Every structure is written in structure tokens, then in C-alpha cells.
Amino acid sequence: MALFTYEANDLFQWLVNRDDIVVVDVRNDKDFGRFHIEAPYPFEMHNVSYYDFMELEEESVARVPKNRPIRIVCAKEGSAKYVAEILERHGYADVGYLTGGIKTWGNLLVARQVAAGADYELFQFIRPGKASCSYGLVSGREMMVFDPSRNLDFYIDFAAERGCTITRTFETHLQADYIAGSRDLANRTGAVFHANDSDFKTSKNPYTPLTDGEVLRFSQGGPAVRVLFTPGHTPGSTSFIVDERFLISGDMVFINSVGRPDLGGKAEAWAKVLFASIGKIKALDHAIRVLPGHYIDWAEANEDLVFTLPLGEVLARNREIYDIDNPADFYGFIKANMRTQPEEYATIRLVNANLEQVNEERQEELDLGKNECAASAYAAKQQAQTA
């Protein structure tokens, strides 16, 4: 078999299907430690630097299993091709390298259907490289999008395949961990861009302000979308209740944590606000299904690889958080779990507020890497393990 290229979605499908492949990441160990391929099921992966292949070819080749399909990943594609050619010379027969490099994995979106009602469909768009989720709500010939990433073509093509146009796009808050897509998606499609004044009023984004408790609808039938202000992760954090059955929670409620309130540098003040918002969440019907903006790892997904749980189960598995009964103790929990936020978050906030412009290459750099938005000891442990 000749050398070949593959795309990020091919890699995801191989890993989901548990194909017997070996992933070889040839970036340096620092970049690998910061961000690498993760999948729903265990798979074999090796980090052998491109520079090792240049300087210690025989030893490096010996670290790659033989007689197995090899899938190589690098930063931009060129290094992976170089290593693939070395392996081919050494008799490896099934070798592919990722076209476009690791950024294509970082931008990959995978659609999973959450629900199909009588007059709507609800989809979760999983971004494995960021451990984040955006959402699409389809009814008739219209589609609403929640927290889109900058992979605009995906959302536009997804809507077109269903004979829809994107009519509304929502931001649950001013994102700090990735470049948000609502502003550009609205520009390209004519969709209304909805956001909370408390986060966006000082931005230079053209948007339509949300009102707490308002109900938004499709032009013809479909489910109601109720706005619920849930500040704390940011002052303008907003949740959306779809058909009184689903809670698109942004960074408010996670399956294995709650959104951290310290990213704005006002941990104590925002923790008090977040504690009050938790009271709002606990008062909701516990049968409502939580649809989070992020996850920590694939263990949180169900058998259909969808990240969702009934609110009652989320509250039960996070008792250490939700059983705290006063603001002072809640801040104590937050303080005990605080960790340094990535340096790029400050720049990402400015870009998302349209207060700073960066070129495409810089956007790609800022957008790589998993999120650090959860406030929990588990999340802090994960960070320590990869530091």
C-alpha cells in the first residue's frame, strides 16, 4: 500500500470503530503534553519526535510497532509526511499521515442527535480536540445554533443538508477558551446574533441583547427556547431551556463539575453570583437533560457518544459542589480548586469581544488545546497530570 493522507474525521471514525491502528504523534513532547488525540475508547499512541527520526532514525523506527496500520500526526503535515516516508523505506506497508496537521483535529466537529421531537431535532456537535460541545436545533426549514466554533462551513453545510437556513445564533457567554463563531456566522448567513449584555455590552459585536425569561421561537411551530440567566462563570453566563426538556448550560453546569468563576480575576465576587445561580439550577425539574458546553473526558459520554444526563443525576454525582449550603463555603471550595488559567485566554476574550483582531494563523494557535473551564479537584488533577 502506498503512502496516503487521511483527514481528521477519518481518524475519529477509525478510533470510534476501534480499528486496530497505531497513532504516532511526531510533535515535540511539550506540544504533545499540552494537546493530543483523545478518543472514546482506548487506543495505542506513541509520541516520537520528528527530530528524533532525523537524528536517531533506526532507534526511532524501532519504537513504532510493525505490521500494524500506522497513522501519523504532526503540527502542520510536513513532518508527518517526512516520517511516513522513513517508515515506508523501512518496510511499513500501511502508513497514512494527517492532512493539514493537528489543527484539523482541533477544528473537527462530530454531529450526534440528542433528540427528535414531533416538530424538531436537536443535535450535539462534539469538538474532540477542544472537549467542547455546540448545539443545533432544527425545526422546519430553520436552524438555531448555540455556541458555534469558528468552523463555520460545518454549521452552514449541516443546515443546507437538511434544507435549512441558520436563523439565530447564540452565545452562552463571552468565551475565553476558544474563538467563538457567532459573529462571523451571523455575517455569513444573516442570522440574528443573540448574547447577554452583561458580557457583550462593552464588545464591538453587533448583537441582539437577551432578556432573562424571554422565550424565542421558530417562525412556524417548533419548540420554545427559554432564556435563563445563570451568571457566575462570567457575569453574562446564560442557559437555554429547549422545549422544557433540555438545558443547554454553556459553562454553568457540567456533567462532572460546574463552571469556574475565577477566569475574570474576581473569584470571590463571581463565586457568590455563581452560588446564587446554582440555586436557580437546583430549582429546575430534575428530569430535564443537561447539555454542557464542555466535558473533561470521554467517560462522561453515554453509549451513543452523547454528553448528556438528567439534571438529578448531575446533582447527585457532584454532591461535593451542590450540597454546599452557603456562599462562604462555596468560595472555599472554589479557592481550593483554583489553578492558573492558560495565558492565551486573555487574548481570546479580546478577539471574541471584537476588541482585537488576529490573523488566521494566530487564531489557529489560540484555538488549539483542551478547555480549562471546570471548577473541580478532578479538573485540577487532570491539568497536573499533563503539565
Side-chain angles (χ1 to χ4, degrees):
M1 179 185 292
L3 294 181
F4 64 94
T5 61
Y6 65 89
E7 297 185 352
N9 190 58
D10 298 323
L11 179 57
F12 182 81
Q13 295 305 323
W14 290 325
L15 294 173
V16 167
N17 294 334
R18 308 191 198 199
D19 288 0
D20 185 31
I21 65 171
V22 177
V23 177
V24 179
D25 191 320
V26 300
R27 295 174 299 147
N28 63 58
D29 56 359
K30 180 180 179 181
D31 289 341
F32 176 82
R34 175 174 175 260
F35 166 59
H36 53 260
I37 306 295
E38 295 182 3
Y41 311 113
F43 67 99
E44 186 171 348
M45 179 164 59
H46 299 273
N47 177 215
V48 187
S49 169
Y50 158 77
Y51 295 104
D52 288 344
F53 278 98
M54 290 179 64
E55 299 171 4
L56 303 166
E57 181 174 313
E58 296 295 332
E59 293 90 332
S60 298
V61 169
R63 295 171 61 185
V64 180
K66 200 132 189 197
N67 301 318
R68 301 270 300 282
I70 306 300
R71 304 295 179 257
I72 306 176
V73 174
C74 74
K76 295 183 178 180
E77 184 180 331
S79 298
K81 181 181 179 183
Y82 173 85
V83 171
E85 291 169 345
I86 289 175
L87 294 178
E88 184 182 43
R89 290 201 304 270
H90 282 265
Y92 288 74
D94 187 354
V95 181
Y97 56 96
L98 179 60
T99 184
I102 194 72
K103 69 180 181 181
T104 66
W105 178 264
N107 289 323
L108 175 68
L109 293 169
V110 180
R112 286 284 186 270
Q113 188 180 76
V114 176
D119 55 358
Y120 71 91
E121 292 179 285
L122 179 58
F123 295 90
Q124 184 176 74
F125 303 130
I126 301 167
R127 189 178 176 189
K130 182 60 72 173
S132 66
C133 300
S134 52
Y135 296 90
L137 180 62
V138 175
S139 183
R141 300 178 65 105
E142 300 174 36
M143 178 172 163
M144 299 181 184
V145 180
F146 301 80
D147 282 345
S149 72
R150 54 193 289 273
N151 186 357
L152 306 184
D153 288 341
F154 173 88
Y155 301 100
I156 293 170
D157 292 346
F158 187 89
E161 288 167 5
R162 284 151 184 79
C164 297
T165 57
I166 297 173
T167 55
R168 301 181 191 270
T169 181
F170 300 87
E171 291 295 324
T172 58
H173 61 292
L174 184 66
Q175 304 283 354
D177 64 303
Y178 67 88
I179 307 292
S182 282
R183 179 178 66 246
D184 291 337
L185 189 61
N187 287 338
R188 280 187 57 176
T189 66
V192 179
F193 173 11
H194 296 273
N196 190 320
D197 266 343
S198 293
D199 275 3
F200 285 83
K201 193 171 185 178
T202 58
S203 78
K204 291 184 178 179
N205 290 308
Y207 69 95
T208 298
L210 293 163
T211 302
D212 193 19
E214 74 174 303
V215 175
L216 298 164
R217 300 183 181 276
F218 292 88
S219 61
Q220 296 183 353
V225 177
R226 179 160 63 90
V227 177
L228 179 66
F229 284 4
T230 48
H233 176 65
T234 66
S237 289
T238 304
S239 300
F240 299 92
I241 299 175
V242 177
D243 199 26
E244 297 301 323
R245 295 177 55 205
F246 302 97
L247 176 70
I248 297 177
S249 60
D251 290 6
M252 171 62 201
V253 182
F254 298 139
I255 288 176
N256 279 339
S257 191
V258 68
R260 57 189 289 189
D262 62 300
L263 293 182
K266 301 178 182 179
E268 186 169 8
W270 288 13
K272 291 178 181 178
V273 177
L274 180 60
F275 181 78
S277 291
I278 285 175
K280 291 184 182 180
I281 294 296
K282 290 165 68 174
L284 295 174
D285 184 344
H286 285 194
I288 198 168
R289 297 197 71 90
V290 173
L291 296 172
H294 294 298
Y295 57 92
I296 294 172
D297 61 42
W298 278 99
E300 297 172 30
N302 63 21
E303 61 184 10
D304 296 319
L305 300 184
V306 175
F307 294 92
T308 184
L309 269 183
L311 177 58
E313 293 186 32
V314 171
L315 298 178
R317 69 164 54 192
N318 294 282
R319 284 194 179 93
E320 66 171 343
I321 299 172
Y322 291 108
D323 283 356
I324 298 173
D325 61 4
N326 66 85
D329 287 349
F330 182 72
Y331 175 61
F333 168 83
I334 295 299
K335 190 174 181 180
N337 284 278
M338 282 198 305
R339 57 203 184 278
T340 303
Q341 63 177 297
E343 293 180 3
E344 61 267 23
Y345 278 19
T347 302
I348 292 173
R349 278 191 288 265
L350 291 173
V351 172
N352 286 335
N354 204 18
L355 297 175
E356 183 172 324
Q357 285 72 45
V358 296
N359 62 28
E360 186 72 15
E361 183 176 357
R362 179 58 173 151
Q363 287 187 47
E364 292 285 3
E365 293 174 357
L366 291 168
D367 229 13
L368 281 180
K370 285 183 70 174
N371 73 87
E372 286 288 344
C373 294
S376 71
Y378 181 71
K381 178 182 176 182
Q382 290 294 97
Q383 184 189 42
Q385 288 175 342
T386 59

